[in-house]
CSV table of all heavy atoms in Angstrom, one decimal:
chain,number,residue,atom,x,y,z
U,1,GLY,N,85.5,131.0,118.9
U,1,GLY,CA,85.0,132.2,119.7
U,1,GLY,C,83.6,132.2,120.0
U,1,GLY,O,83.0,131.2,120.4
U,2,ASP,N,83.0,133.4,119.8
U,2,ASP,CA,81.6,133.6,120.3
U,2,ASP,C,80.6,132.8,119.4
U,2,ASP,O,80.7,132.7,118.2
U,2,ASP,CB,81.2,135.1,120.1
U,2,ASP,CG,82.3,136.0,120.8
U,2,ASP,OD1,82.8,135.5,121.9
U,2,ASP,OD2,82.6,137.1,120.3
U,3,SER,N,79.5,132.3,120.1
U,3,SER,CA,78.5,131.7,119.4
U,3,SER,C,77.5,132.8,119.0
U,3,SER,O,77.4,133.9,119.6
U,3,SER,CB,77.8,130.6,120.2
U,3,SER,OG,77.1,131.2,121.3
U,4,ASP,N,76.7,132.6,118.0
U,4,ASP,CA,75.6,133.5,117.6
U,4,ASP,C,74.3,133.0,118.1
U,4,ASP,O,73.7,132.1,117.4
U,4,ASP,CB,75.7,133.7,116.1
U,4,ASP,CG,74.8,134.8,115.6
U,4,ASP,OD1,73.8,135.1,116.3
U,4,ASP,OD2,75.1,135.4,114.5
U,5,GLN,N,73.8,133.5,119.2
U,5,GLN,CA,72.6,133.0,119.8
U,5,GLN,C,71.4,133.1,118.8
U,5,GLN,O,70.5,132.3,118.8
U,5,GLN,CB,72.3,133.7,121.1
U,5,GLN,CG,73.4,133.4,122.1
U,5,GLN,CD,73.1,134.2,123.4
U,5,GLN,OE1,72.3,135.0,123.5
U,5,GLN,NE2,73.9,133.9,124.4
U,6,LEU,N,71.3,134.2,118.1
U,6,LEU,CA,70.1,134.4,117.2
U,6,LEU,C,70.2,133.3,116.1
U,6,LEU,O,69.1,132.7,115.7
U,6,LEU,CB,70.2,135.8,116.6
U,6,LEU,CG,68.9,136.3,116.0
U,6,LEU,CD1,67.7,136.2,117.0
U,6,LEU,CD2,69.1,137.8,115.5
U,7,LEU,N,71.3,133.1,115.5
U,7,LEU,CA,71.4,132.1,114.4
U,7,LEU,C,71.2,130.7,115.0
U,7,LEU,O,70.6,129.8,114.3
U,7,LEU,CB,72.8,132.2,113.7
U,7,LEU,CG,73.1,131.2,112.6
U,7,LEU,CD1,72.0,131.4,111.5
U,7,LEU,CD2,74.5,131.4,112.1
U,8,ASP,N,71.7,130.5,116.2
U,8,ASP,CA,71.6,129.2,116.8
U,8,ASP,C,70.1,128.8,117.0
U,8,ASP,O,69.8,127.6,117.2
U,8,ASP,CB,72.4,129.1,118.1
U,8,ASP,CG,73.9,129.1,117.9
U,8,ASP,OD1,74.3,128.8,116.8
U,8,ASP,OD2,74.6,129.3,118.9
U,9,LEU,N,69.2,129.7,117.1
U,9,LEU,CA,67.8,129.4,117.2
U,9,LEU,C,67.3,128.6,115.9
U,9,LEU,O,66.4,127.7,116.0
U,9,LEU,CB,66.9,130.6,117.3
U,9,LEU,CG,67.0,131.4,118.6
U,9,LEU,CD1,66.3,132.7,118.5
U,9,LEU,CD2,66.5,130.6,119.7
U,10,PHE,N,67.9,128.9,114.8
U,10,PHE,CA,67.5,128.2,113.5
U,10,PHE,C,68.4,127.1,113.1
U,10,PHE,O,68.0,126.2,112.4
U,10,PHE,CB,67.5,129.3,112.4
U,10,PHE,CG,66.5,130.4,112.7
U,10,PHE,CD1,66.9,131.5,113.3
U,10,PHE,CD2,65.2,130.2,112.4
U,10,PHE,CE1,66.0,132.5,113.6
U,10,PHE,CE2,64.3,131.2,112.7
U,10,PHE,CZ,64.7,132.4,113.3
U,11,MET,N,69.7,127.1,113.6
U,11,MET,CA,70.7,126.1,113.3
U,11,MET,C,71.4,125.7,114.5
U,11,MET,O,72.5,126.2,114.7
U,11,MET,CB,71.6,126.6,112.2
U,11,MET,CG,71.0,126.8,110.8
U,11,MET,SD,72.2,127.3,109.6
U,11,MET,CE,73.4,125.9,109.6
U,12,PRO,N,70.8,125.0,115.4
U,12,PRO,CA,71.4,124.7,116.7
U,12,PRO,C,72.7,123.7,116.5
U,12,PRO,O,73.6,123.7,117.4
U,12,PRO,CB,70.4,124.0,117.5
U,12,PRO,CG,69.3,123.5,116.6
U,12,PRO,CD,69.4,124.4,115.4
U,13,SER,N,72.7,122.9,115.5
U,13,SER,CA,73.8,122.1,115.2
U,13,SER,C,74.2,122.2,113.8
U,13,SER,O,73.4,122.5,112.9
U,13,SER,CB,73.6,120.6,115.6
U,13,SER,OG,72.5,120.1,114.7
U,14,TYR,N,75.5,122.1,113.5
U,14,TYR,CA,76.1,122.3,112.2
U,14,TYR,C,76.7,121.1,111.6
U,14,TYR,O,77.3,120.3,112.4
U,14,TYR,CB,77.1,123.4,112.2
U,14,TYR,CG,76.7,124.7,112.8
U,14,TYR,CD1,77.0,125.0,114.2
U,14,TYR,CD2,75.9,125.6,112.1
U,14,TYR,CE1,76.6,126.2,114.8
U,14,TYR,CE2,75.5,126.8,112.7
U,14,TYR,CZ,75.9,127.1,114.0
U,14,TYR,OH,75.5,128.2,114.6
U,15,GLU,N,76.7,120.8,110.3
U,15,GLU,CA,77.4,119.8,109.7
U,15,GLU,C,78.9,120.2,109.5
U,15,GLU,O,79.8,119.4,109.6
U,15,GLU,CB,76.8,119.3,108.4
U,15,GLU,CG,75.5,118.6,108.6
U,15,GLU,CD,75.0,118.1,107.3
U,15,GLU,OE1,75.6,118.3,106.3
U,15,GLU,OE2,73.9,117.4,107.4
U,16,VAL,N,79.0,121.5,109.2
U,16,VAL,CA,80.3,122.0,108.9
U,16,VAL,C,80.4,123.4,109.5
U,16,VAL,O,79.4,124.2,109.5
U,16,VAL,CB,80.5,122.2,107.3
U,16,VAL,CG1,81.9,122.9,107.0
U,16,VAL,CG2,80.4,120.9,106.6
U,17,VAL,N,81.5,123.7,110.1
U,17,VAL,CA,81.7,125.0,110.8
U,17,VAL,C,82.9,125.7,110.1
U,17,VAL,O,84.0,125.1,110.0
U,17,VAL,CB,81.9,124.9,112.3
U,17,VAL,CG1,82.3,126.2,112.9
U,17,VAL,CG2,80.7,124.3,112.9
U,18,ASP,N,82.7,126.9,109.7
U,18,ASP,CA,83.8,127.8,109.2
U,18,ASP,C,83.5,129.2,109.7
U,18,ASP,O,82.5,129.8,109.2
U,18,ASP,CB,83.9,127.7,107.7
U,18,ASP,CG,85.2,128.3,107.1
U,18,ASP,OD1,86.1,128.5,107.9
U,18,ASP,OD2,85.2,128.5,105.9
U,19,CYS,N,84.3,129.7,110.6
U,19,CYS,CA,84.0,131.0,111.2
U,19,CYS,C,85.1,132.0,110.8
U,19,CYS,O,86.3,131.7,111.0
U,19,CYS,CB,83.9,130.8,112.7
U,19,CYS,SG,83.5,132.3,113.6
U,20,HIS,N,84.6,133.2,110.3
U,20,HIS,CA,85.6,134.3,110.0
U,20,HIS,C,85.1,135.5,110.7
U,20,HIS,O,83.8,135.7,110.8
U,20,HIS,CB,85.6,134.5,108.5
U,20,HIS,CG,86.0,133.3,107.7
U,20,HIS,ND1,87.4,133.1,107.5
U,20,HIS,CD2,85.3,132.3,107.2
U,20,HIS,CE1,87.4,131.9,106.8
U,20,HIS,NE2,86.2,131.5,106.6
U,21,LYS,N,86.0,136.3,111.2
U,21,LYS,CA,85.6,137.6,111.8
U,21,LYS,C,86.4,138.7,111.3
U,21,LYS,O,87.6,138.6,111.0
U,21,LYS,CB,85.8,137.5,113.3
U,21,LYS,CG,84.9,136.5,114.1
U,21,LYS,CD,85.2,136.6,115.5
U,21,LYS,CE,84.3,135.6,116.2
U,21,LYS,NZ,84.4,135.6,117.6
U,22,VAL,N,85.7,139.8,111.2
U,22,VAL,CA,86.4,141.1,110.8
U,22,VAL,C,85.9,142.2,111.7
U,22,VAL,O,84.7,142.4,111.9
U,22,VAL,CB,86.1,141.5,109.3
U,22,VAL,CG1,86.7,142.8,109.0
U,22,VAL,CG2,86.6,140.4,108.3
U,23,ARG,N,86.8,142.8,112.4
U,23,ARG,CA,86.5,143.9,113.3
U,23,ARG,C,86.3,145.2,112.4
U,23,ARG,O,87.1,145.5,111.6
U,23,ARG,CB,87.5,144.1,114.3
U,23,ARG,CG,87.7,142.9,115.2
U,23,ARG,CD,87.6,143.4,116.7
U,23,ARG,NE,87.8,142.2,117.5
U,23,ARG,CZ,86.8,141.7,118.2
U,23,ARG,NH1,85.6,142.2,118.2
U,23,ARG,NH2,87.0,140.7,119.0
U,24,VAL,N,85.2,145.8,112.6
U,24,VAL,CA,84.9,147.1,111.9
U,24,VAL,C,84.8,148.2,112.9
U,24,VAL,O,84.1,148.1,113.9
U,24,VAL,CB,83.5,147.0,111.2
U,24,VAL,CG1,83.2,148.3,110.5
U,24,VAL,CG2,83.6,145.8,110.2
U,25,ASN,N,85.6,149.2,112.7
U,25,ASN,CA,85.6,150.4,113.6
U,25,ASN,C,84.4,151.3,113.3
U,25,ASN,O,84.6,152.4,112.8
U,25,ASN,CB,86.9,151.1,113.5
U,25,ASN,CG,87.1,152.1,114.7
U,25,ASN,OD1,86.4,152.0,115.7
U,25,ASN,ND2,88.1,152.9,114.5
U,26,ALA,N,83.2,150.8,113.6
U,26,ALA,CA,82.0,151.6,113.4
U,26,ALA,C,80.9,151.1,114.3
U,26,ALA,O,80.9,149.9,114.6
U,26,ALA,CB,81.6,151.5,111.9
U,27,PRO,N,79.9,151.9,114.6
U,27,PRO,CA,78.8,151.4,115.4
U,27,PRO,C,78.1,150.3,114.6
U,27,PRO,O,78.0,150.3,113.3
U,27,PRO,CB,77.9,152.6,115.6
U,27,PRO,CG,78.8,153.8,115.3
U,27,PRO,CD,79.8,153.3,114.4
U,28,ALA,N,77.4,149.3,115.3
U,28,ALA,CA,76.7,148.2,114.6
U,28,ALA,C,75.7,148.7,113.6
U,28,ALA,O,75.5,148.2,112.6
U,28,ALA,CB,76.1,147.3,115.7
U,29,GLU,N,75.0,149.8,114.0
U,29,GLU,CA,73.9,150.3,113.1
U,29,GLU,C,74.5,150.7,111.8
U,29,GLU,O,73.9,150.5,110.7
U,29,GLU,CB,73.1,151.5,113.8
U,29,GLU,CG,72.4,151.1,115.1
U,29,GLU,CD,73.3,151.1,116.3
U,29,GLU,OE1,74.5,151.7,116.2
U,29,GLU,OE2,72.9,150.6,117.3
U,30,VAL,N,75.6,151.4,111.8
U,30,VAL,CA,76.2,151.9,110.6
U,30,VAL,C,76.8,150.7,109.7
U,30,VAL,O,76.5,150.7,108.5
U,30,VAL,CB,77.4,152.9,110.9
U,30,VAL,CG1,78.2,153.3,109.7
U,30,VAL,CG2,76.8,154.1,111.6
U,31,ALA,N,77.4,149.8,110.4
U,31,ALA,CA,77.9,148.6,109.7
U,31,ALA,C,76.8,147.8,109.0
U,31,ALA,O,76.9,147.4,107.8
U,31,ALA,CB,78.7,147.7,110.6
U,32,LEU,N,75.7,147.6,109.7
U,32,LEU,CA,74.6,146.8,109.2
U,32,LEU,C,73.9,147.5,108.0
U,32,LEU,O,73.6,147.0,107.0
U,32,LEU,CB,73.6,146.5,110.3
U,32,LEU,CG,72.4,145.6,109.8
U,32,LEU,CD1,72.9,144.3,109.3
U,32,LEU,CD2,71.4,145.4,110.9
U,33,SER,N,73.8,148.8,108.2
U,33,SER,CA,73.2,149.6,107.1
U,33,SER,C,74.0,149.6,105.9
U,33,SER,O,73.5,149.5,104.8
U,33,SER,CB,73.0,151.1,107.6
U,33,SER,OG,72.5,151.9,106.6
U,34,ALA,N,75.4,149.7,106.0
U,34,ALA,CA,76.3,149.7,104.9
U,34,ALA,C,76.2,148.3,104.2
U,34,ALA,O,76.2,148.2,103.0
U,34,ALA,CB,77.7,150.0,105.3
U,35,ALA,N,76.2,147.2,105.0
U,35,ALA,CA,76.1,145.9,104.4
U,35,ALA,C,74.8,145.7,103.7
U,35,ALA,O,74.8,145.1,102.6
U,35,ALA,CB,76.3,144.9,105.5
U,36,ALA,N,73.7,146.1,104.3
U,36,ALA,CA,72.4,145.9,103.7
U,36,ALA,C,72.3,146.7,102.4
U,36,ALA,O,71.5,146.3,101.5
U,36,ALA,CB,71.3,146.4,104.7
U,37,GLY,N,72.9,147.8,102.3
U,37,GLY,CA,72.8,148.7,101.1
U,37,GLY,C,73.9,148.5,100.0
U,37,GLY,O,73.8,149.1,99.0
U,38,MET,N,74.8,147.6,100.2
U,38,MET,CA,75.9,147.4,99.2
U,38,MET,C,75.3,146.8,98.0
U,38,MET,O,74.4,146.0,98.0
U,38,MET,CB,77.0,146.6,99.8
U,38,MET,CG,76.7,145.1,100.1
U,38,MET,SD,78.2,144.4,100.8
U,38,MET,CE,77.5,142.8,101.3
U,39,ASP,N,76.0,147.1,96.9
U,39,ASP,CA,75.6,146.6,95.5
U,39,ASP,C,76.6,145.5,95.1
U,39,ASP,O,77.6,145.9,94.6
U,39,ASP,CB,75.5,147.8,94.6
U,39,ASP,CG,75.1,147.4,93.2
U,39,ASP,OD1,74.7,146.2,93.0
U,39,ASP,OD2,75.2,148.2,92.3
U,40,LEU,N,76.2,144.3,95.3
U,40,LEU,CA,77.1,143.2,94.9
U,40,LEU,C,77.3,143.1,93.4
U,40,LEU,O,78.4,142.7,92.9
U,40,LEU,CB,76.6,141.8,95.4
U,40,LEU,CG,76.7,141.6,96.9
U,40,LEU,CD1,76.2,140.3,97.3
U,40,LEU,CD2,78.1,141.8,97.4
U,41,GLN,N,76.3,143.5,92.6
U,41,GLN,CA,76.3,143.4,91.2
U,41,GLN,C,77.3,144.4,90.5
U,41,GLN,O,77.7,144.3,89.4
U,41,GLN,CB,75.0,143.5,90.5
U,41,GLN,CG,74.0,142.4,90.9
U,41,GLN,CD,74.5,141.0,90.5
U,41,GLN,OE1,75.1,140.8,89.5
U,41,GLN,NE2,74.2,140.1,91.4
U,42,SER,N,77.8,145.3,91.3
U,42,SER,CA,78.8,146.3,90.8
U,42,SER,C,80.2,145.7,90.8
U,42,SER,O,81.1,146.3,90.2
U,42,SER,CB,78.8,147.6,91.6
U,42,SER,OG,79.3,147.3,92.9
U,43,CYS,N,80.4,144.5,91.4
U,43,CYS,CA,81.7,143.8,91.5
U,43,CYS,C,81.8,142.8,90.3
U,43,CYS,O,81.0,141.9,90.2
U,43,CYS,CB,81.8,143.1,92.8
U,43,CYS,SG,83.3,142.2,93.0
C-alpha cells in the first residue's frame, strides 16, 4: 500500500519490509496523543 514519505527520508531503501495497518476511528491528533501517552510497562 501507501509509502511513508516522512520515514522514507531516513530509510529510502529497506533490507526487510513488513507492513501492518490498523484503521483507527479517531482523528490523527487523538490517536497520536494516545499512542505517545501509553504506558507499555503496565503490560
Side-chain angles (χ1 to χ4, degrees):
D2 308 324
S3 67
D4 187 333
Q5 294 177 353
L6 197 56
L7 180 59
D8 288 346
L9 290 172
F10 300 93
M11 292 180 62
S13 62
Y14 309 97
E15 289 184 1
V16 177
V17 173
D18 192 13
C19 183
H20 301 273
K21 293 182 180 183
V22 175
R23 296 232 181 250
V24 177
N25 191 15
E29 298 83 16
V30 172
L32 182 62
S33 176
M38 69 183 172
D39 178 9
L40 292 180
Q41 296 301 322
S42 67
C43 176

